[in-house]
Amino acid sequence: SRTYQYQIPLNSVCFASLIMGGTGKSKRLRREKEQGTGLEEAQRLISGEPIGKRSKKSSKSNKSVLDKKKASKSRRNENDGDREPERKKKRIELENGHGKDAKVEVKAKVKKHSDKVSKKKKKSRKNKKDDSTSEDNAEEQNGRHALFSGDGSDEDAQDDGFGDENDTWLTRKGKKKMPMSDDEAEEHKEEGEEEDGEDVSDLGSSSDSDSEMDIEEKSRKFQVRMKKQQQEAEDELKMNVRADQESFRLPDGAEPRGVLAGKKDIHVPETREMLQSRIRSTLAILADFKNRRDPKIPRREYVERLNADLSECYGYLPSLTAKLMDIFPGNEVVELMEANEAPRPMTIRTNTLKTRRRDLAQALIARGMNVDPVGDWTKVGLVVYESQVPVGATPEYLAGMYMIQSASSFMPCTALGPQENERVLDMSAAPGGKTTYLAALMKNTGVLVANDFKKERLKALVANLHRMGATNSIVCNYDGRELGGCLGLFDRVLLDAPCSGTGIICHDHSIKGARTDEDIAATVKLQKELLCAAIDACDANSKTGGYVVYSTCSILVDENEAVVDFALKKRNCKVVDSGLPFGVPGFTNFREHRFHPSLSLSRR
């Protein structure tokens, strides 16, 4: 239905009748034409005509409107027939075009022609839909104007504002376009560019673009978009290959890094992405130094620059970064530092003195934990991926069924392999993770001496021994360097020596910025003294034992192979296989150092 507002002076009765007539349906209007309206009957009564007959003026006006419609249709058909030869002529001219200029003209003409045809078709469809409503509205306007003006001629109707001049404001307004977002506008723009860049291969297909199915149009646009993306990917690949082949230049040493050009008092810190990009470039040069190097820059400067970038990017002290670069190749150093930035999964150890791993796993899963076995090399470890309850506050934890402990700390106890009814010494026992595991391996038999130099750490050690049910333990507070002569000899000795902690940076990030060369040197000296004391406390004539296990949480050569090599020179001992199924053999040659060949049996 349509509502039009007529701006003519009418009384209240006439205005109400016009509004009702303007908003009525086409069926009601046809019925009024056939049967007549009450207003027409009233007019006939006033003029003295009989009620059953319609006025001649109204019938004449209706006939005139129908005649106008037929004339307009005939003119439209004649225009279409006249334009058909022109269209064929244009198509023939476009098909005969040759060369680049001709193709461009063909493309422009075909596009312009297709736009005209599509607009004309849309307009014709719209005119067909509005024929019935426009006819009824025109007849109604002429008939009702004749009733109230006293004259039913077409000229009077046009003079009063009901003619064709009112088509501009009688037409219905189009729908308002909703504002597009930035992403939609960009996508619409790309689609327009793709349509402009397409080649016109067939004139018939371009002229019949309106009849093309939506799925075909979408498929065509998708193929164009895929070709564009493939071309961009190839260009980017070529650019990357070209960049890899080009020689990399170090930043100018005369100007500090991050300083704006021309403003030396303003310092802009470099981003992590910039540092990582330069690290990759420097590593690529060092991997193929002969072909990619700058002849004016020695290798030492590239190494120094790499050290500075790694230290700034990951927050390490330059001295510690230099030690790591001496141990690992360039790419492995970056992988190590990246791995230290990522958190490790939590692991727990089952206390076999109170439960089995299967029963413990079922109980923890029932409490909302997601656990899995650590691996085939241990029968007591579980990995906790996620938990809905605090892992260190469950009833199972308080009952001593498990201990929160890293998987790497299982290996020293496994390598020591204590037997039942033996005398075992743990020289650095606090907080009790390894000590309780040794007690479980000994099945609470024999004697387990747990010693620690720091008295304040003994509280946690005693609490864990009580909670885990280790009844064969003795806790003492001695300097480990003096244990060799005060407590007698032991069948097996475990020395988890204090160290710099460079292997557990993932748990404590403060280590990478706090361990200086002086701290490491002092730690190395203490480790050598403790290892010699552990060897002295071990019984070489033991029937079942006579083993010492030395372990650290460090990856530095100074705290591992160098200490063991020092003990081999100072004491009558040898290195034996640890029995661990994995690990990397220890160094026998490191830079200018040469260690004992038996250190290849050690494991990193």
Side-chain angles (χ1 to χ4, degrees):
S1 62
R2 300 178 183 178
T3 303
Y4 300 117
Q5 184 176 358
Y6 299 87
Q7 299 177 356
I8 56 176
L10 298 173
N11 56 30
S12 60
V13 178
C14 296
F15 180 74
S17 64
L18 283 172
I19 293 299
M20 291 175 62
T23 57
K25 300 294 177 91
S26 60
K27 292 182 179 180
R28 183 167 55 78
L29 293 175
R30 285 195 294 270
R31 187 172 62 254
E32 288 178 356
K33 292 178 190 176
E34 296 173 359
Q35 299 178 1
T37 61
L39 296 174
E40 291 178 356
E41 294 177 357
Q43 184 70 16
R44 291 171 193 167
L45 288 173
I46 293 171
S47 60
E49 294 180 3
I51 298 174
K53 295 181 181 180
R54 298 181 65 181
S55 63
K56 294 181 180 180
K57 294 181 180 180
S58 60
S59 61
K60 287 181 181 180
S61 62
N62 293 338
K63 287 181 181 180
S64 64
V65 172
L66 293 175
D67 294 339
K68 286 183 180 181
K69 289 182 193 174
K70 291 180 181 180
S72 63
K73 286 184 180 179
S74 62
R75 284 197 302 270
R76 195 160 49 243
N77 293 332
E78 290 176 359
N79 293 334
D80 292 341
D82 296 339
R83 292 177 183 176
E84 189 62 27
E86 295 179 0
R87 294 175 186 169
K88 290 182 179 180
K89 186 177 180 181
K90 287 182 180 179
R91 290 179 184 174
I92 294 171
E93 291 177 356
L94 293 174
E95 289 176 355
N96 295 332
H98 297 288
K100 294 183 179 179
D101 298 335
K103 288 183 179 179
V104 174
E105 293 178 0
V106 166
K107 185 176 178 181
K109 291 180 180 179
V110 168
K111 187 173 182 182
K112 188 175 180 181
H113 178 68
S114 61
D115 293 340
K116 288 183 179 179
V117 172
S118 61
K119 288 180 181 179
K120 184 176 179 181
K121 286 187 176 182
K122 290 180 181 178
K123 191 173 182 180
S124 62
R125 290 188 193 125
K126 186 176 180 181
N127 292 334
K128 288 180 181 178
K129 290 180 182 178
D130 297 342
D131 279 344
S132 59
T133 57
S134 61
E135 291 174 5
D136 296 338
N137 290 334
E139 293 177 0
E140 182 184 2
Q141 292 169 10
N142 294 330
R144 300 205 174 178
H145 182 60
L147 288 174
F148 297 106
S149 63
D151 188 4
S153 63
D154 295 338
E155 295 177 357
D156 295 335
Q158 291 178 0
D159 293 338
D160 290 337
F162 286 89
D164 294 337
E165 296 177 356
N166 297 322
D167 289 342
T168 56
W169 59 271
L170 285 175
T171 55
R172 183 174 52 181
K173 294 183 179 180
K175 294 183 179 180
K176 294 183 178 179
K177 294 185 178 180
M178 298 296 292
M180 292 188 295
S181 62
D182 296 340
D183 297 337
E184 293 176 353
E186 185 176 353
E187 184 178 357
H188 183 70
K189 183 179 179 181
E190 290 179 357
E191 290 180 359
E193 292 177 355
E194 291 170 2
E195 291 177 358
D196 294 341
E198 294 174 0
D199 294 334
V200 179
S201 59
D202 189 5
L203 295 175
S205 63
S206 63
S207 62
D208 297 337
S209 60
D210 291 340
S211 62
E212 187 179 24
M213 296 179 64
D214 293 340
I215 188 65
E216 293 178 355
E217 185 178 358
K218 291 180 180 179
S219 176
R220 177 169 50 80
K221 292 180 179 179
F222 177 75
Q223 291 177 0
V224 173
R225 194 180 300 110
M226 290 300 295
K227 289 180 180 179
K228 186 177 180 181
Q229 292 179 359
Q230 185 177 3
Q231 184 64 30
E232 291 177 354
E234 291 177 358
D235 296 341
E236 184 177 1
L237 179 61
K238 292 178 181 178
M239 183 178 64
N240 292 337
V241 171
R242 194 182 307 112
D244 291 340
Q245 294 176 354
E246 293 177 354
S247 60
F248 172 72
R249 295 184 179 181
L250 292 174
D252 188 5
E255 182 177 342
R257 291 178 301 162
V259 175
L260 292 176
K263 298 181 180 179
K264 303 213 172 183
D265 56 339
I266 300 176
H267 184 272
V268 180
E270 293 179 311
T271 61
R272 188 183 182 92
E273 290 75 13
M274 294 171 60
L275 293 171
Q276 289 177 344
S277 176
R278 192 158 61 221
I279 288 169
R280 288 192 296 267
S281 302
T282 307
L283 290 174
I285 293 171
L286 293 175
D288 190 9
F289 189 72
K290 182 178 179 181
N291 298 325
R292 295 187 178 183
R293 60 166 296 188
D294 188 348
K296 299 180 181 180
I297 301 177
R299 185 184 184 90
R300 176 177 53 81
E301 292 190 15
Y302 284 101
V303 175
E304 291 177 356
R305 174 57 60 193
L306 179 61
N307 186 347
D309 290 339
L310 288 172
S311 301
E312 186 176 355
C313 183
Y314 297 101
Y316 286 75
L317 290 176
S319 58
L320 183 57
T321 304
K323 290 182 179 294
L324 296 177
M325 291 175 63
D326 292 339
I327 300 173
F328 302 99
N331 293 327
E332 293 185 10
V333 172
V334 178
E335 293 177 2
L336 173 66
M337 292 183 175
E338 289 286 351
N340 287 335
E341 298 296 320
R344 306 291 173 85
M346 180 181 291
T347 57
I348 60 176
R349 177 182 59 82
T350 306
N351 184 14
T352 55
L353 295 175
K354 294 188 175 183
T355 186
R356 296 183 302 174
R357 185 171 67 174
R358 180 184 300 175
D359 299 337
L360 177 62
Q362 292 176 355
L364 295 179
I365 291 172
R367 293 194 181 277
M369 290 189 189
N370 184 9
V371 298
D372 276 330
V374 172
D376 298 335
W377 58 274
T378 178
K379 297 181 180 180
V380 295
L382 288 172
V383 182
V384 181
Y385 295 107
E386 59 180 356
S387 176
Q388 299 179 2
V389 294
V391 180
T394 61
E396 288 80 9
Y397 177 82
L398 299 176
M401 293 184 180
Y402 66 88
M403 181 83 172
I404 299 175
Q405 189 174 355
S406 62
S408 59
S409 63
F410 298 173
M411 291 182 281
C413 302
T414 305
L416 184 63
Q419 304 297 321
E420 298 180 18
N421 300 317
E422 285 187 343
R423 284 173 53 87
V424 180
L425 172 63
D426 188 357
M427 293 185 67
S428 183
K434 299 180 182 65
T435 305
T436 54
Y437 192 14
L438 292 175
L441 292 175
M442 296 171 66
K443 298 180 181 179
N444 265 343
T445 61
V447 177
L448 176 60
V449 178
N451 178 72
D452 200 271
F453 177 71
K454 295 183 179 180
K455 189 175 182 179
E456 60 273 12
R457 301 185 66 188
L458 295 179
K459 296 180 181 180
L461 173 60
V462 173
N464 284 323
L465 288 173
H466 281 292
R467 185 175 60 85
M468 301 294 285
T471 59
N472 64 340
S473 304
I474 300 173
V475 178
C476 59
N477 178 223
Y478 284 101
D479 187 350
R481 294 171 288 186
E482 301 175 358
L483 282 176
C486 62
L487 295 177
L489 300 178
F490 298 89
D491 296 318
R492 300 172 191 266
V493 179
L494 173 62
L495 175 57
D496 185 27
C499 60
S500 61
T502 54
I504 56 172
I505 294 177
C506 58
H507 299 299
D508 186 5
H509 291 284
S510 63
I511 296 173
K512 58 186 179 181
R515 295 294 184 268
T516 61
D517 291 341
E518 291 77 11
D519 297 335
I520 295 173
T523 304
V524 169
K525 182 181 178 182
L526 177 61
Q527 290 168 348
K528 291 178 180 179
E529 294 175 354
L530 289 173
L531 182 55
C532 291
I535 295 172
D536 295 338
C538 183
D539 186 5
N541 298 320
S542 175
K543 295 180 180 179
T544 59
Y547 296 100
V548 177
V549 171
Y550 174 77
S551 63
T552 65
C553 298
S554 174
I555 58 178
L556 300 180
V557 177
D558 297 340
E559 300 182 71
N560 293 292
E561 286 87 351
V563 174
V564 176
D565 185 71
F566 175 81
L568 292 176
K569 294 177 181 178
K570 297 297 182 179
R571 296 293 185 270
N572 185 16
C573 58
K574 64 179 181 179
V575 180
V576 296
D577 189 10
S578 61
L580 296 175
F582 51 84
V584 179
F587 289 100
T588 56
N589 300 323
F590 180 73
R591 296 177 68 83
E592 69 274 9
H593 302 286
R594 299 295 179 267
F595 303 128
H596 196 277
S598 62
L599 282 173
S600 60
L601 297 174
S602 63
R603 289 292 178 269
R604 282 182 154 268

